[in-house]
Amino acid sequence: MVRQPLTAEQIAAGHRLGAALRAARAGRSLVEVALAAGISPETLRKIEAGRLPAPAFGTVVCLSRALGVPLGDLADAWLADTPVRQAS
């Protein structure tokens, strides 16, 4: 199976998702959040930097839970330039 290259829109969506995750992480360390989500810190670093613009759905679900951010908010960030509110 050949994977199609990402479109410019998908790359931009990945950057928005990364920014939303960084904002939601707020004062928590990258390592703390990555370990809570069950992923490597390097994977989270790549997602936040936009170098991994299309992370696996399960990864996004785990990050959503680890950050206390509704999955729908992360989906909104992916789909449009919508800020994600911080977890309380």
Side-chain angles (χ1 to χ4, degrees):
M1 180 170 137
V2 176
R3 184 173 181 168
Q4 296 295 318
L6 297 174
T7 65
E9 292 82 12
Q10 290 170 319
I11 292 169
H15 284 282
R16 288 192 304 271
L17 177 63
L21 291 170
R22 268 192 317 280
R25 188 164 56 83
R28 294 174 66 185
S29 79
L30 185 136
V31 172
E32 174 189 351
V33 171
L35 294 178
I39 63 173
S40 74
E42 183 58 23
T43 296
L44 180 53
R45 189 173 291 111
K46 287 178 181 177
I47 294 168
E48 286 188 358
R51 291 186 4 241
L52 184 57
F57 178 71
T59 299
V60 177
V61 169
C62 291
L63 285 167
S64 169
R65 287 210 172 159
L67 291 166
V69 174
L71 187 56
D73 287 2
L74 295 178
D76 288 344
W78 171 269
L79 293 170
D81 199 2
T82 305
V84 173
R85 65 179 182 264
Q86 289 183 358
S88 44

